[in-house]
Amino acid sequence: MTTANPSGNTMRALLVRETGWPNGMQVTEVPRPQAQALDADSVLVRVRAAGLNFADTLSIGGSYQEKQALPFVPGAELCGQVVAVGAGVQGLTAGERVMGQVGAGAYAEWAVMHQHRLARVPTAMPDDEAAGFYIPYGTALCALRERGRLAPGETLLVLGAAGAVGLAAVQVGKALGARVIGVSRSESKRGAVMQAGADAFVAWSAGDLKRALQQADVGAGVDVVLDMVGGDATAAAMRCLQFEGRLVVVGFTSGQAPTLRANHILVKNIDIVGCYWGPYQQLRPAQTRQSFQTLFDWYRQGRLNPAIADTVPLEGVAHALEQLACGAYAGKVVATLPIPSGVTE
Ligand SMILES: NC(=O)c1ccc[n+]([C@@H]2O[C@H](COP(=O)([O-])OP(=O)(O)OC[C@H]3O[C@@H](n4cnc5c(N)ncnc54)[C@H](OP(=O)(O)O)[C@@H]3O)[C@@H](O)[C@H]2O)c1
């Protein structure tokens, strides 16, 4: 096997030396993970592309729930080519393409993945789509089907609908047979949300969301709210729920975890559930595999169309993450890590 770095001991990676924003993180040479040191459950991959996630901005800022010891290589999601597998890994061989989630380390040329946190990439799916598929679509399906019990014919309201998880949720919601209303702060994102298949779009940032839905003529009663935003938006969206509605809490891009009034929960018999998808992958690997079979079937049928907002080189990740933190994109940003020409693996 020849590799992109003949010495084999180092690789290019984005390195965070201290937490906080603005951040002086830089692409530099760091030690490369070695096949001989793989755990039994692990897989070594050559990274082809890495998906940017809002959670990266929290991790780099030092406020994410899962802390990294400094210095660290950020990045939680990638598409890579298998280079070596641990002794306990079955059914995966060198050369196959996989997508998946890592605790950190996706913004690098090589990465180590856990066998329960990856899936084989469908043949027809390009690297950039695969790098941004695993977290948004895995989260959306778990949040809507398992946690939100979204049923055919119900109405789903998605807060943060133009984000990566939001656009995935619009498509997954449609695949589950729901009517989907997408909400974004920005009218300029209407096209992206409607193109994802939403039945309606509402530009809204503050005030009475129920009235905004009525004024937009999309009705005021919804069955499930998928909340990626938090802050005041959560209570405003909860008021849109009808009898036995479900509020699924996924994230807080507003920067605020909301406080909610229990009397509102009581009078409408509302369920409020959290969805933190990461732990499910290792706690319920069989269910995770089944979920990806469903998602890949939908992908092959053309019902899921990952939206790539931009692709950047490794050197462009830091700037793109700053933009992403401000909500600048509609869809997923992906870092591509091409293998230098003339080099084979
Ligand atoms: N629980 C889980 O398992 C899980 C998994 C994945 C992600 N998440 C969380 O889900 C959230 C969304 O993730 P994502 O990858 O979809 O993020 P993203 O692609 O960056 O999209 C986030 C969206 O939030 C909206 N937003 C509303 N208020 C905002 C504000 N004050 N600042 C920035 N954006 C704001 C933006 O939409 P508009 O500008 O259009 O309003 C933006 O498109 C994040 O909090 C992430 O950590 C949770």
Side-chain angles (χ1 to χ4, degrees):
M1 182 179 75
T2 14
T3 67
N5 179 347
S7 82
N9 292 325
T10 64
M11 63 178 180
R12 288 169 62 248
L14 183 64
L15 192 66
V16 171
R17 293 192 170 84
E18 55 187 353
T19 51
W21 288 100
N23 193 286
M25 63 186 130
Q26 280 178 335
V27 177
T28 184
E29 291 285 323
V30 303
R32 186 180 129 186
Q34 298 295 325
Q36 309 86 279
L38 275 184
D39 288 340
D41 279 339
S42 297
V43 175
L44 177 65
V45 299
R46 173 61 162 86
V47 179
R48 300 279 177 176
L52 275 64
N53 276 279
F54 190 90
D56 298 338
T57 69
L58 303 177
S59 177
I60 293 163
S63 62
Y64 195 55
Q65 60 252 32
E66 293 175 26
K67 305 286 180 209
Q68 301 296 331
L70 290 166
F72 71 97
V73 176
E77 183 178 28
L78 61 91
C79 162
Q81 187 166 328
V82 175
V83 173
V85 299
V89 178
Q90 291 181 343
L92 264 187
T93 50
E96 288 186 290
R97 279 191 315 145
V98 292
M99 63 167 79
Q101 183 167 1
V102 289
Y107 301 131
E109 290 177 312
W110 274 266
V112 174
M113 307 176 80
H114 190 282
Q115 64 165 333
H116 291 157
R117 307 190 83 187
L118 57 79
R120 241 188 230 99
V121 178
T123 314
M125 189 184 286
D127 289 345
D128 56 354
E129 288 189 8
F133 192 95
Y134 193 84
I135 291 181
Y137 286 92
T139 301
L141 185 57
C142 180
L144 293 178
R145 193 176 63 179
E146 268 65 67
R147 306 296 291 145
R149 308 189 313 279
L150 182 67
E154 289 193 319
T155 298
L156 165 68
L157 179 80
V158 181
L159 289 179
V165 180
L167 288 175
V170 168
Q171 296 172 14
V172 169
K174 290 307 296 176
L176 291 170
R179 184 172 81 97
V180 181
I181 303 167
V183 177
S184 157
R185 293 171 301 176
S186 168
E187 178 62 34
S188 68
K189 296 184 183 172
R190 175 185 291 273
V193 175
M194 296 304 286
Q195 207 178 335
D199 297 281
F201 171 87
V202 177
W204 174 87
S205 58
D208 189 339
L209 177 57
K210 193 170 176 177
R211 185 177 299 166
L213 296 190
Q214 282 164 338
Q215 283 169 350
D217 214 15
V218 295
V222 307
D223 300 290
V224 175
V225 167
L226 192 70
D227 182 10
M228 267 72 75
V229 174
D232 294 340
T234 306
M238 202 171 83
R239 280 194 287 275
C240 301
L241 284 171
Q242 45 201 12
F243 183 75
E244 290 193 336
R246 284 85 72 197
L247 166 66
V248 188
V249 178
V250 174
F252 312 114
T253 53
S254 65
Q256 277 186 308
T259 303
L260 299 170
R261 301 273 300 271
N263 56 331
H264 294 168
I265 300 164
L266 183 148
V267 293
K268 283 197 202 162
N269 292 281
I270 286 170
D271 284 9
I272 300 183
V273 293
C275 179
Y276 185 31
W277 180 58
Y280 280 113
Q281 299 163 44
Q282 267 159 308
L283 293 173
R284 300 193 185 152
Q287 181 184 317
T288 304
R289 275 194 299 278
Q290 275 178 354
S291 293
F292 276 96
Q293 267 171 20
T294 301
L295 290 167
F296 293 155
D297 284 346
W298 286 341
Y299 177 83
R300 287 187 198 98
Q301 293 159 9
R303 297 161 88 182
L304 305 182
N305 294 292
I308 308 297
D310 202 3
T311 55
V312 296
L314 206 48
E315 289 74 10
V317 169
H319 177 68
L321 284 173
E322 281 177 29
Q323 298 294 303
L324 183 142
C326 308
Y329 299 106
K332 193 82 181 175
V333 183
V334 171
T336 52
L337 290 99
I339 299 173
S341 61
V343 173
T344 54
E345 287 180 293

Coordinates of all heavy atoms in Angstrom, one line a residue, residues 256-326:
Q256 N -29.6 29.2 23.6 CA -30.3 29.2 24.9 C -31.2 27.9 25.0 O -32.0 27.6 24.1 CB -31.3 30.4 25.0 CG -30.6 31.7 25.5 CD -31.7 32.7 25.7 OE1 -32.5 33.0 24.8 NE2 -31.7 33.3 26.8
A257 N -31.0 27.2 26.1 CA -31.9 26.1 26.4 C -33.1 26.7 27.1 O -33.0 27.4 28.1 CB -31.2 25.1 27.3
P258 N -34.3 26.5 26.5 CA -35.5 27.2 27.0 C -36.0 26.6 28.3 O -35.8 25.5 28.7 CB -36.6 26.9 25.9 CG -36.1 25.6 25.3 CD -34.6 25.6 25.4
T259 N -36.8 27.4 29.1 CA -37.6 27.0 30.2 C -39.0 27.0 29.8 O -39.5 28.0 29.3 CB -37.3 28.0 31.4 OG1 -35.9 28.0 31.7 CG2 -38.0 27.5 32.7
L260 N -39.7 25.9 30.1 CA -41.1 25.8 29.6 C -42.1 25.7 30.8 O -41.8 25.3 31.8 CB -41.3 24.6 28.7 CG -40.4 24.6 27.5 CD1 -40.4 23.3 26.8 CD2 -40.8 25.7 26.5
R261 N -43.3 26.2 30.5 CA -44.4 26.3 31.5 C -45.1 24.9 31.6 O -45.7 24.5 30.6 CB -45.4 27.4 31.2 CG -44.8 28.8 31.1 CD -44.7 29.4 32.5 NE -46.0 29.6 33.1 CZ -46.8 30.6 32.8 NH1 -46.4 31.6 32.0 NH2 -48.0 30.7 33.4
A262 N -45.1 24.3 32.8 CA -45.7 23.0 32.9 C -47.3 23.0 32.7 O -47.9 22.0 32.2 CB -45.4 22.4 34.3
N263 N -47.9 24.2 33.0 CA -49.4 24.2 32.8 C -49.7 24.1 31.3 O -50.7 23.5 30.9 CB -50.0 25.5 33.4 CG -49.3 26.8 32.9 OD1 -48.1 26.8 32.5 ND2 -50.1 27.8 32.9
H264 N -48.8 24.6 30.4 CA -49.1 24.5 29.0 C -49.0 23.1 28.5 O -49.7 22.6 27.6 CB -48.1 25.4 28.2 CG -48.3 26.9 28.4 ND1 -47.4 27.8 28.0 CD2 -49.3 27.5 29.0 CE1 -47.8 29.0 28.4 NE2 -49.0 28.9 29.0
I265 N -48.1 22.4 29.2 CA -47.8 21.0 28.8 C -49.1 20.1 29.2 O -49.6 19.3 28.5 CB -46.6 20.4 29.5 CG1 -45.3 21.2 29.1 CG2 -46.4 18.9 29.2 CD1 -44.1 21.0 30.0
L266 N -49.6 20.5 30.4 CA -50.7 19.7 31.0 C -52.0 19.9 30.2 O -52.6 18.9 29.8 CB -50.9 20.2 32.5 CG -52.0 19.5 33.3 CD1 -51.6 19.4 34.7 CD2 -53.4 20.2 33.1
V267 N -52.3 21.2 29.9 CA -53.7 21.4 29.4 C -53.9 20.8 28.0 O -55.0 20.5 27.6 CB -54.1 22.9 29.4 CG1 -54.3 23.4 30.8 CG2 -53.1 23.7 28.6
K268 N -52.8 20.6 27.2 CA -53.0 20.1 25.9 C -52.4 18.6 25.8 O -52.3 18.1 24.7 CB -52.2 20.9 24.9 CG -52.9 22.2 24.5 CD -52.3 22.7 23.2 CE -52.5 24.1 23.0 NZ -51.6 24.7 22.0
N269 N -52.1 18.0 27.0 CA -51.6 16.7 27.0 C -50.4 16.5 26.0 O -50.3 15.7 25.2 CB -52.7 15.7 26.6 CG -53.7 15.6 27.7 OD1 -53.5 14.9 28.7 ND2 -54.8 16.3 27.5
I270 N -49.4 17.4 26.2 CA -48.3 17.5 25.3 C -47.1 16.6 25.9 O -46.9 16.5 27.1 CB -47.8 18.9 25.2 CG1 -48.8 19.7 24.3 CG2 -46.4 19.0 24.6 CD1 -48.5 21.2 24.3
D271 N -46.4 15.9 25.0 CA -45.2 15.2 25.3 C -44.0 16.0 24.9 O -44.0 16.5 23.8 CB -45.1 13.9 24.5 CG -46.0 12.8 24.9 OD1 -46.9 13.0 25.8 OD2 -45.8 11.7 24.4
I272 N -43.1 16.2 25.8 CA -41.8 16.9 25.5 C -40.7 15.8 25.6 O -40.5 15.2 26.7 CB -41.5 18.1 26.4 CG1 -42.6 19.1 26.3 CG2 -40.2 18.7 26.0 CD1 -42.4 20.3 27.1
V273 N -40.1 15.5 24.5 CA -39.0 14.5 24.6 C -37.7 15.1 24.0 O -37.7 15.9 23.1 CB -39.4 13.2 23.7 CG1 -40.6 12.5 24.4 CG2 -39.7 13.6 22.3
G274 N -36.6 14.6 24.5 CA -35.3 14.9 24.0 C -34.9 13.9 22.9 O -35.3 12.8 23.0
C275 N -34.0 14.4 22.0 CA -33.4 13.4 21.1 C -31.9 13.7 21.0 O -31.5 14.7 20.4 CB -34.0 13.4 19.7 SG -33.2 12.3 18.6
Y276 N -31.1 12.9 21.7 CA -29.7 13.0 21.5 C -29.3 11.7 20.8 O -29.3 10.6 21.4 CB -29.0 13.1 22.9 CG -27.5 13.3 22.8 CD1 -26.9 14.0 21.8 CD2 -26.7 12.9 23.9 CE1 -25.5 14.2 21.7 CE2 -25.3 13.1 23.8 CZ -24.7 13.8 22.7 OH -23.4 14.0 22.7
W277 N -29.0 11.8 19.5 CA -29.0 10.6 18.7 C -27.7 9.8 18.9 O -27.6 8.5 18.8 CB -29.1 10.9 17.2 CG -29.0 9.7 16.4 CD1 -29.8 8.6 16.4 CD2 -28.1 9.5 15.3 NE1 -29.5 7.7 15.5 CE2 -28.4 8.2 14.8 CE3 -27.0 10.2 14.8 CZ2 -27.6 7.6 13.8 CZ3 -26.3 9.6 13.8 CH2 -26.6 8.4 13.3
G278 N -26.6 10.5 19.2 CA -25.2 9.8 19.3 C -25.3 8.5 20.1 O -24.8 7.5 19.7
P279 N -25.7 8.5 21.4 CA -25.7 7.3 22.2 C -26.4 6.2 21.7 O -26.1 5.0 21.9 CB -26.3 7.8 23.5 CG -26.2 9.3 23.5 CD -26.2 9.7 22.1
Y280 N -27.5 6.4 20.9 CA -28.3 5.3 20.3 C -27.4 4.4 19.4 O -27.7 3.2 19.4 CB -29.4 5.8 19.5 CG -30.6 6.2 20.3 CD1 -31.0 7.5 20.3 CD2 -31.4 5.3 21.0 CE1 -32.1 7.9 21.1 CE2 -32.5 5.7 21.7 CZ -32.9 7.0 21.8 OH -34.0 7.4 22.5
Q281 N -26.4 5.0 18.8 CA -25.6 4.2 17.8 C -24.9 3.0 18.5 O -24.9 1.9 18.0 CB -24.6 5.0 17.1 CG -25.2 6.2 16.3 CD -24.2 7.2 16.0 OE1 -23.1 7.0 15.6 NE2 -24.6 8.5 16.1
Q282 N -24.4 3.3 19.7 CA -23.7 2.2 20.4 C -24.6 1.4 21.3 O -24.4 0.2 21.5 CB -22.5 2.8 21.2 CG -21.3 2.7 20.3 CD -20.2 3.6 20.8 OE1 -20.4 4.8 20.9 NE2 -19.0 3.1 20.9
L283 N -25.7 2.0 21.8 CA -26.6 1.3 22.7 C -27.6 0.4 21.9 O -28.0 -0.6 22.4 CB -27.5 2.3 23.5 CG -26.7 3.2 24.5 CD1 -27.7 4.2 25.1 CD2 -26.2 2.3 25.6
R284 N -27.9 0.8 20.7 CA -28.8 0.0 19.9 C -28.3 -0.1 18.4 O -28.9 0.4 17.5 CB -30.2 0.7 19.8 CG -30.8 0.8 21.2 CD -32.2 1.1 21.3 NE -32.6 1.4 22.6 CZ -33.6 2.2 23.0 NH1 -34.3 2.8 22.1 NH2 -33.9 2.3 24.3
P285 N -27.2 -0.9 18.3 CA -26.6 -1.0 17.0 C -27.5 -1.6 15.9 O -27.5 -1.2 14.8 CB -25.3 -1.8 17.2 CG -25.4 -2.4 18.5 CD -26.4 -1.6 19.3
A286 N -28.3 -2.6 16.3 CA -29.1 -3.3 15.3 C -30.2 -2.3 14.8 O -30.5 -2.2 13.6 CB -29.8 -4.5 15.9
Q287 N -30.8 -1.5 15.7 CA -31.8 -0.5 15.3 C -31.1 0.6 14.4 O -31.7 1.0 13.4 CB -32.3 0.2 16.6 CG -33.4 1.2 16.3 CD -33.9 1.9 17.6 OE1 -34.1 1.3 18.6 NE2 -34.0 3.2 17.5
T288 N -29.9 1.0 14.7 CA -29.2 1.9 13.9 C -29.0 1.4 12.5 O -29.2 2.1 11.5 CB -27.8 2.3 14.6 OG1 -28.1 2.8 15.9 CG2 -27.1 3.4 13.8
R289 N -28.5 0.1 12.4 CA -28.3 -0.5 11.1 C -29.6 -0.5 10.3 O -29.7 -0.1 9.1 CB -27.8 -1.9 11.2 CG -26.3 -2.0 11.4 CD -25.8 -3.4 11.2 NE -26.3 -4.4 12.1 CZ -25.9 -4.5 13.3 NH1 -24.8 -3.9 13.8 NH2 -26.4 -5.4 14.1
Q290 N -30.7 -0.8 11.0 CA -32.0 -0.9 10.3 C -32.4 0.5 9.8 O -33.0 0.7 8.7 CB -33.1 -1.4 11.2 CG -33.2 -2.9 11.2 CD -34.2 -3.4 12.2 OE1 -34.8 -2.7 12.9 NE2 -34.4 -4.7 12.2
S291 N -32.2 1.5 10.6 CA -32.5 2.9 10.3 C -31.8 3.3 9.0 O -32.4 3.9 8.1 CB -32.2 3.9 11.4 OG -33.0 3.6 12.5
F292 N -30.5 2.9 8.9 CA -29.8 3.3 7.7 C -30.2 2.5 6.5 O -30.2 3.1 5.4 CB -28.3 3.3 8.0 CG -27.8 4.5 8.6 CD1 -27.6 4.6 10.0 CD2 -27.6 5.7 7.8 CE1 -27.3 5.8 10.5 CE2 -27.2 6.9 8.4 CZ -27.1 7.0 9.8
Q293 N -30.7 1.3 6.7 CA -31.2 0.6 5.6 C -32.4 1.3 5.0 O -32.6 1.5 3.8 CB -31.7 -0.8 6.0 CG -30.6 -1.8 5.7 CD -30.9 -3.2 6.3 OE1 -32.0 -3.5 6.6 NE2 -29.8 -4.0 6.5
T294 N -33.3 1.8 5.9 CA -34.5 2.6 5.5 C -34.1 3.9 4.8 O -34.6 4.2 3.7 CB -35.3 2.9 6.8 OG1 -35.7 1.7 7.4 CG2 -36.5 3.8 6.4
L295 N -33.1 4.6 5.4 CA -32.7 5.8 4.8 C -32.0 5.6 3.5 O -32.3 6.4 2.5 CB -31.7 6.5 5.8 CG -32.3 7.1 7.1 CD1 -31.2 7.5 8.1 CD2 -33.2 8.3 6.8
F296 N -31.2 4.6 3.3 CA -30.6 4.3 2.0 C -31.6 3.9 1.0 O -31.5 4.2 -0.2 CB -29.5 3.3 2.2 CG -28.3 3.8 3.0 CD1 -27.4 2.9 3.6 CD2 -28.0 5.1 3.1 CE1 -26.4 3.4 4.4 CE2 -26.9 5.6 3.8 CZ -26.1 4.7 4.5
D297 N -32.6 3.1 1.4 CA -33.7 2.8 0.5 C -34.4 4.1 0.0 O -34.6 4.2 -1.2 CB -34.8 1.9 1.1 CG -34.3 0.5 1.3 OD1 -33.3 0.1 0.7 OD2 -34.9 -0.3 2.1
W298 N -34.7 5.0 0.9 CA -35.3 6.2 0.5 C -34.4 7.0 -0.4 O -34.9 7.6 -1.4 CB -35.7 7.0 1.7 CG -36.9 6.5 2.5 CD1 -37.8 5.7 2.1 CD2 -37.2 6.9 3.9 NE1 -38.7 5.4 3.1 CE2 -38.4 6.2 4.2 CE3 -36.6 7.7 4.8 CZ2 -39.0 6.2 5.4 CZ3 -37.2 7.8 6.1 CH2 -38.4 7.0 6.4
Y299 N -33.1 7.0 -0.1 CA -32.1 7.7 -1.0 C -32.2 7.1 -2.4 O -32.2 7.9 -3.4 CB -30.7 7.6 -0.4 CG -29.7 8.3 -1.2 CD1 -29.4 9.6 -1.2 CD2 -28.9 7.5 -2.1 CE1 -28.5 10.2 -1.9 CE2 -27.9 8.1 -2.9 CZ -27.7 9.5 -2.8 OH -26.8 10.1 -3.6
R300 N -32.1 5.8 -2.5 CA -32.1 5.2 -3.8 C -33.4 5.5 -4.6 O -33.4 5.6 -5.8 CB -32.0 3.6 -3.7 CG -30.6 3.2 -3.3 CD -30.4 1.7 -3.3 NE -29.2 1.4 -2.5 CZ -29.2 0.9 -1.3 NH1 -30.4 0.8 -0.7 NH2 -28.1 0.7 -0.6
Q301 N -34.5 5.6 -3.9 CA -35.8 5.9 -4.5 C -35.9 7.4 -4.8 O -37.0 7.9 -5.4 CB -37.0 5.5 -3.5 CG -37.1 4.1 -3.3 CD -37.9 3.7 -2.0 OE1 -38.5 4.6 -1.4 NE2 -37.9 2.5 -1.6
G302 N -34.9 8.2 -4.5 CA -35.0 9.6 -4.8 C -35.8 10.5 -3.8 O -36.1 11.6 -4.1
R303 N -36.1 9.9 -2.7 CA -36.9 10.6 -1.7 C -36.1 11.5 -0.8 O -36.6 12.4 -0.1 CB -37.8 9.7 -0.9 CG -38.8 8.9 -1.8 CD -39.3 7.7 -1.2 NE -40.5 8.0 -0.4 CZ -41.2 7.1 0.4 NH1 -40.7 5.8 0.4 NH2 -42.2 7.4 1.0
L304 N -34.8 11.2 -0.7 CA -33.9 12.0 0.1 C -32.8 12.6 -0.9 O -32.2 11.8 -1.6 CB -33.2 11.1 1.2 CG -34.0 10.3 2.1 CD1 -33.2 9.6 3.2 CD2 -35.1 11.2 2.8
N305 N -32.7 13.9 -0.8 CA -31.7 14.6 -1.7 C -30.8 15.5 -0.9 O -31.2 16.7 -0.7 CB -32.5 15.4 -2.8 CG -33.2 14.4 -3.7 OD1 -32.6 13.7 -4.5 ND2 -34.5 14.5 -3.6
P306 N -29.7 15.0 -0.3 CA -28.9 15.8 0.5 C -28.5 17.2 -0.2 O -28.1 17.1 -1.4 CB -27.6 15.0 0.7 CG -28.1 13.6 0.5 CD -29.1 13.7 -0.5
A307 N -28.7 18.3 0.5 CA -28.4 19.6 -0.1 C -27.0 20.0 0.4 O -26.7 20.2 1.5 CB -29.4 20.6 0.4
I308 N -26.0 20.1 -0.6 CA -24.7 20.6 -0.3 C -24.7 22.1 -0.5 O -24.7 22.5 -1.7 CB -23.6 19.9 -1.1 CG1 -23.8 18.3 -1.0 CG2 -22.2 20.3 -0.7 CD1 -23.6 17.7 0.3
A309 N -24.5 22.9 0.5 CA -24.5 24.3 0.4 C -23.1 24.8 -0.2 O -23.1 25.8 -0.9 CB -24.7 25.0 1.7
D310 N -22.0 24.1 0.2 CA -20.7 24.5 -0.2 C -19.7 23.4 0.1 O -19.9 22.6 1.0 CB -20.3 25.8 0.5 CG -19.2 26.6 -0.2 OD1 -18.8 26.2 -1.3 OD2 -18.7 27.6 0.3
T311 N -18.6 23.4 -0.7 CA -17.5 22.5 -0.4 C -16.3 23.3 -0.2 O -16.1 24.3 -1.0 CB -17.3 21.4 -1.5 OG1 -17.1 22.0 -2.7 CG2 -18.4 20.4 -1.6
V312 N -15.5 23.0 0.7 CA -14.3 23.8 1.0 C -13.1 22.8 1.2 O -13.3 21.7 1.6 CB -14.4 24.7 2.3 CG1 -15.5 25.7 2.1 CG2 -14.7 23.8 3.5
P313 N -11.8 23.3 1.0 CA -10.7 22.5 1.4 C -10.5 22.5 2.9 O -11.1 23.4 3.6 CB -9.5 23.2 0.7 CG -10.0 24.6 0.6 CD -11.5 24.6 0.5
L314 N -9.6 21.7 3.4 CA -9.3 21.7 4.9 C -9.0 23.1 5.4 O -9.5 23.5 6.5 CB -8.2 20.7 5.1 CG -8.0 20.0 6.5 CD1 -9.3 19.4 6.9 CD2 -6.9 19.0 6.4
E315 N -8.3 23.8 4.6 CA -7.9 25.2 5.0 C -9.1 26.1 5.1 O -9.0 27.2 5.7 CB -6.9 25.8 4.0 CG -5.5 25.2 4.1 CD -5.4 23.8 3.4 OE1 -6.4 23.4 2.8 OE2 -4.4 23.1 3.6
G316 N -10.2 25.8 4.5 CA -11.4 26.7 4.5 C -12.3 26.3 5.6 O -13.3 27.0 5.8
V317 N -12.1 25.3 6.4 CA -13.0 24.8 7.4 C -13.3 25.9 8.5 O -14.4 26.2 8.9 CB -12.6 23.5 8.0 CG1 -13.4 23.1 9.2 CG2 -12.7 22.4 7.0
A318 N -12.2 26.5 9.0 CA -12.3 27.4 10.1 C -13.2 28.6 9.7 O -14.2 28.9 10.5 CB -10.9 28.0 10.5
H319 N -13.0 29.2 8.6 CA -13.9 30.3 8.1 C -15.3 29.8 7.9 O -16.3 30.5 8.3 CB -13.3 30.9 6.8 CG -14.2 32.0 6.3 ND1 -14.3 33.2 6.9 CD2 -15.0 32.0 5.2 CE1 -15.2 34.0 6.2 NE2 -15.6 33.3 5.1
A320 N -15.5 28.6 7.3 CA -16.8 28.1 7.0 C -17.6 27.9 8.3 O -18.8 28.1 8.4 CB -16.7 26.9 6.2
L321 N -16.9 27.4 9.4 CA -17.5 27.2 10.6 C -18.0 28.5 11.3 O -19.1 28.5 11.9 CB -16.6 26.4 11.6 CG -16.4 24.9 11.4 CD1 -15.3 24.4 12.3 CD2 -17.7 24.2 11.6
E322 N -17.2 29.6 11.1 CA -17.7 30.9 11.6 C -19.0 31.3 10.9 O -19.9 31.8 11.5 CB -16.6 31.9 11.4 CG -15.5 31.9 12.4 CD -14.4 32.9 12.0 OE1 -14.7 33.9 11.5 OE2 -13.2 32.6 12.4
Q323 N -19.0 31.1 9.6 CA -20.2 31.4 8.8 C -21.4 30.6 9.2 O -22.5 31.1 9.4 CB -20.0 31.2 7.3 CG -18.9 32.1 6.7 CD -19.3 33.5 6.8 OE1 -20.3 33.9 6.2 NE2 -18.5 34.3 7.4
L324 N -21.1 29.3 9.4 CA -22.2 28.4 9.8 C -22.8 28.8 11.2 O -24.0 28.7 11.4 CB -21.6 26.9 9.9 CG -22.5 25.8 10.2 CD1 -22.0 24.6 9.3 CD2 -22.4 25.4 11.6
A325 N -21.9 29.2 12.1 CA -22.4 29.6 13.4 C -23.4 30.7 13.3 O -24.3 30.9 14.2 CB -21.3 29.9 14.3
C326 N -23.3 31.5 12.3 CA -24.2 32.7 12.1 C -25.5 32.3 11.3 O -26.3 33.2 11.0 CB -23.6 33.8 11.4 SG -22.0 34.4 12.1

